[in-house]
Amino acid sequence: MRRVGAPRSCRDVGQDTMAATFFGEVVRTPCRAGTEDQEEEEEGRRETAEDREVRRQLSRKREVRLFRRQTKTSLEVSLLEKYPCSKFIIAIGNNAVAFLSSFVMNSGVWEEVGCAKLWNEWCRTTDTTHLSPAEAFCVFYHLKSNPSVLLCQCSCYVAEDQQYQWLEKVFGSCARKNMQVTVLTCRHVTDYKTSESTSSLHSPFLKALKTQNFKEPPCCPLLEQPNIVHDLPAAVLSYCQVWKIPAVLYLCYTDVMKLDLITVEAFKPILSSRSLKGLVKNIPQSTEILKKLMTTNEIQSNIYT
Amino acid sequence: MFVPCGESVPDLAGYTFLMPAVSVGNVGQLAMDLIISTLNMCKIGYFYTDCLVPMVGNNPYATAEENSTELSINAEIYSLPSKKLVALQLRSIFIKYKSKPFCEKLLSWVKSSNCAKVIVLSSSHSYHRNDLQLRSTPFRYLLTPFVQKSVQTKIMSLNWEEMEKSPCIPEIDDSEFCIRIPGGGITKTLYDEGCSKEIPVVVLLKFVSEGDNIPDALGLVEYLNEWLQIIKPCVSFTTL
């Protein structure tokens, strides 16, 4: 039985149950075209007032909320309306977050301006006013010396029914001009489609996707057809393409999705881009910080202690 | 909502609006890809919505290095002014409970743009066919009551098979009959919305099974072309 509100799709984390739960079970394969509309219609007809209330409550629970942890107040307007920016750098996923932490955030003084609180099956943060560093989070910072530079560290999964809300709460509904957006994220190398032999692929490797208004050359080759991008990075890039905002997505294909030094270092070519130039001061020091970050995490993930 | 690529909103009055349903075998979407690339239709805008799962990729219709780097998103609108055709391509699935709101918003926009008619390219599960359907052509059409008389007459002259009604609740013997399109995604919703909002909607679908559905898409486009005569039909290999 499908849970009300639970998006139905396959992911690396929280795989949709397509496998049989016991030997001999016959599992119905879903239609390639996604959710059967007829099933939804029939569910709608069978829905009672109690079901509708459950759905409403679940929908409220899944709402994306932006607030300031320092003052414990919600943001009344979208983040970019409150903090207009010329440069917005967004890291999605733990490796991209580690890259920005080590190379960008340690090269300047950054002040937290907001935090996104959300709940879904993969990101079960309950009391996000007291986030511990090990928990998944989505935090926004601006550079104290130049407040028009904004940074987002997003290590929580934003589900497909929450992505549009996230965009509205962060970007707002009005198009922001005079702004450039850079998104960093990782995908597993098994998602990469190519006609070349896979033995010639040396992961991790970087690929880029850019909007029409992004005029500078990207720091790596563009992502070739038929490869596509989903989830929050795709939502951000779609928004920027539609509203004509210059934006670039740097996508690192890796075979190690957990925090990994080699994967994080694969983002290094981006340091020479216009978005990050001027924000990165001491690369050798940043590399040391990154190594320390890896060691800390390795100790935490030791299953024998 | 529709967001144009350029500065101004194009005038779509009198245009035929072609769109796919995200349905079994993705036949409608494959057919739209075929139409858009064959006719070299030009992208005129986006249908920016919270109803579809976001996705981006580079231009799937690239013909050269220069146009291979244009970004494509999940819902884009293309046009061919010489044939007064406008096409919507959908590239991802609907978010749960958002398919009906999408159909309502889309058809409302199409109506306010004064398009002449909407053509939905779709498919339905072939295993749901009854005995009669198994023995006949796999193509079907459906018209809402507000389709222009000239279109109705033309379609009748083609001797096409109209989509049959089937029991609303198959398990019950004396169930009422209604239009059911299993595997058709939003097809039925679009048809119902067209009926209730007085919009001329023509559904063209094929009974298919999932697999390599490219031949099904080719067949569906040929079926459409039989009516609209967009391009001269090629001589089929069987006649050679």
Side-chain angles (χ1 to χ4, degrees):
Chain A
M1 189 178 77
R2 200 182 307 145
R3 284 173 291 169
V4 170
R8 186 185 161 176
S9 58
C10 268
R11 270 182 248 305
D12 296 329
V13 176
Q15 279 277 342
D16 199 16
T17 45
M18 275 318 305
T21 51
F22 57 85
F23 183 74
E25 183 188 11
V26 174
V27 178
R28 189 181 138 229
T29 50
C31 180
R32 214 167 64 208
T35 306
E36 287 281 0
D37 195 51
Q38 223 163 325
E39 281 177 29
E40 259 184 43
E41 251 187 73
E42 279 164 17
E43 257 184 61
R45 274 198 291 270
R46 284 197 296 263
E47 222 178 34
T48 61
E50 199 186 318
D51 291 330
R52 275 192 291 275
E53 183 53 31
V54 166
R55 197 155 32 115
R56 245 193 310 268
Q57 281 182 20
L58 193 57
S59 178
R60 235 176 282 136
K61 191 175 180 184
R62 295 175 75 84
E63 256 176 48
V64 177
R65 291 183 188 92
L66 270 187
F67 65 100
R68 288 209 62 158
R69 283 194 288 185
Q70 299 95 317
T71 57
K72 293 186 183 152
T73 52
S74 296
L75 256 67
E76 297 301 325
V77 294
S78 72
L79 187 85
L80 294 193
E81 215 171 306
K82 196 165 168 74
Y83 301 101
C85 87
S86 57
K87 215 184 256 188
F88 192 9
I89 306 160
I90 307 172
I92 301 169
N94 51 7
N95 284 303
V97 163
F99 175 77
L100 283 193
S101 290
S102 320
F103 288 88
V104 177
M105 293 195 75
N106 278 299
S107 302
V109 181
W110 296 82
E111 185 192 7
E112 185 178 318
V113 294
C115 179
K117 174 181 173 170
L118 58 100
W119 181 95
N120 57 50
E121 290 75 13
W122 297 274
C123 179
R124 292 169 182 262
T125 46
T126 45
D127 184 5
T128 46
T129 47
H130 303 287
L131 277 177
S132 74
E135 270 188 277
F137 55 80
C138 184
V139 190
F140 302 89
Y141 306 88
H142 72 185
L143 188 59
K144 276 198 116 165
S145 56
N146 182 0
S148 77
V149 178
L150 247 68
L151 198 142
C152 169
Q153 297 280 59
C154 184
S155 72
C156 62
Y157 178 71
V158 181
E160 55 203 27
D161 60 318
Q162 296 170 315
Q163 287 156 16
Y164 189 83
Q165 262 192 66
W166 189 97
L167 282 172
E168 284 207 302
K169 294 280 159 83
V170 175
F171 284 84
S173 41
C174 305
R176 310 270 147 213
K177 303 286 179 190
N178 308 315
M179 172 174 78
Q180 188 176 87
V181 177
T182 306
V183 184
L184 278 63
T185 194
C186 285
R187 291 282 293 184
H188 201 276
V189 71
T190 49
D191 283 339
Y192 184 68
K193 295 173 185 62
T194 177
S195 51
E196 289 175 38
S197 155
T198 47
S199 57
S200 66
L201 284 178
H202 301 292
S203 67
F205 56 89
L206 218 52
K207 292 285 178 184
L209 273 178
K210 60 184 183 69
T211 62
Q212 192 142 7
N213 288 61
F214 186 85
K215 299 300 182 196
E216 65 182 77
C219 307
C220 61
L222 289 173
L223 185 64
E224 314 85 352
Q225 269 284 329
N227 292 289
I228 55 175
V229 174
H230 310 108
D231 295 333
L232 190 61
V236 173
L237 219 64
S238 299
Y239 176 94
C240 293
Q241 173 72 0
V242 169
W243 300 113
K244 302 179 176 63
I245 299 168
V248 63
L249 162 66
Y250 288 109
L251 183 55
C252 179
Y253 281 98
T254 176
D255 44 16
V256 182
M257 288 305 285
K258 66 178 178 73
L259 199 57
D260 170 62
L261 181 67
I262 299 171
T263 302
V264 175
E265 289 197 319
F267 283 110
K268 271 183 166 170
I270 304 168
L271 296 174
S272 58
S273 70
R274 212 186 291 171
S275 326
L276 295 195
K277 228 180 219 178
L279 295 178
V280 183
K281 304 270 162 48
N282 192 335
I283 294 177
Q285 191 186 40
S286 299
T287 313
E288 280 312 305
I289 292 166
L290 179 62
K291 284 190 180 134
K292 280 203 189 112
L293 198 68
M294 296 291 149
T295 327
T296 322
N297 273 281
E298 270 167 25
I299 292 166
Q300 281 180 2
S301 70
N302 188 338
I303 61 168
Y304 297 110
T305 57
Chain B
M1 61 182 288
F2 176 71
V3 182
C5 285
E7 292 306 319
S8 59
V9 179
D11 178 17
L12 301 175
Y15 273 56
T16 296
F17 187 85
L18 272 174
M19 66 170 288
V22 180
S23 58
V24 55
N26 305 97
V27 174
Q29 293 160 288
L30 288 169
M32 288 309 303
D33 274 340
L34 183 59
I35 292 167
I36 293 166
S37 55
T38 305
L39 299 178
N40 203 18
M41 293 177 84
C42 185
K43 185 162 35 175
I44 59 165
Y46 308 96
F47 201 77
Y48 190 59
T49 174
D50 63 338
C51 302
L52 289 161
V53 169
M55 59 74 53
V56 288
N58 274 327
N59 184 9
Y61 313 123
T63 48
E65 190 69 43
E66 295 77 44
N67 61 18
S68 65
T69 60
E70 289 166 14
L71 198 69
S72 276
I73 70 164
N74 56 10
E76 297 187 321
I77 311 263
Y78 299 79
S79 86
L80 186 68
S82 58
K83 304 266 183 193
K84 287 204 128 185
L85 273 179
V86 58
L88 164 69
Q89 177 60 303
L90 299 175
R91 299 197 174 95
S92 63
I93 56 173
F94 289 98
I95 291 171
K96 200 166 165 64
Y97 304 119
K98 295 280 181 132
S99 53
K100 190 161 193 281
F102 176 82
C103 294
E104 288 164 1
K105 281 181 230 176
L106 178 70
L107 288 187
S108 165
W109 172 68
V110 167
K111 188 171 186 178
S112 64
S113 304
N114 296 308
C115 291
K117 58 185 176 291
V118 178
I119 302 175
V120 181
L121 299 181
S122 180
S123 52
S124 183
H125 283 303
S126 59
Y127 67 79
H128 269 276
R129 286 177 294 172
N130 60 31
D131 293 344
L132 269 168
Q133 288 171 329
L134 277 167
R135 288 196 283 267
S136 62
T137 166
F139 297 101
R140 292 291 184 279
Y141 75 92
L142 253 185
L143 309 176
T144 60
F146 303 94
V147 170
Q148 298 86 344
K149 206 87 191 111
S150 55
V151 172
Q152 289 182 33
T153 313
K154 173 72 185 169
I155 287 181
M156 303 273 267
S157 72
L158 295 167
N159 291 317
W160 281 357
E161 298 264 5
E162 193 174 5
M163 185 68 176
E164 300 90 339
K165 287 189 175 171
S166 55
C168 293
I169 305 164
E171 296 81 13
I172 297 177
D173 284 335
D174 57 354
S175 164
E176 277 181 21
F177 277 60
C178 59
I179 299 287
R180 290 176 73 239
I181 308 173
I186 55 169
T187 310
K188 177 75 177 16
T189 312
L190 284 166
Y191 173 77
D192 290 341
E193 189 67 13
C195 289
S196 69
K197 300 282 174 5
E198 301 183 4
I199 300 170
V201 177
V202 177
V203 174
L204 300 185
L205 64 85
K206 188 181 183 215
F207 290 116
V208 303
S209 300
E210 289 218 342
D212 176 7
N213 298 107
I214 292 173
D216 297 311
L218 275 160
L220 192 61
V221 174
E222 278 169 5
Y223 187 57
L224 171 74
N225 197 46
E226 207 185 313
W227 164 32
L228 291 186
Q229 299 281 303
I230 307 166
I231 58 170
K232 256 173 91 93
C234 288
V235 175
S236 97
F237 286 112
T238 54
T239 65
L240 288 173

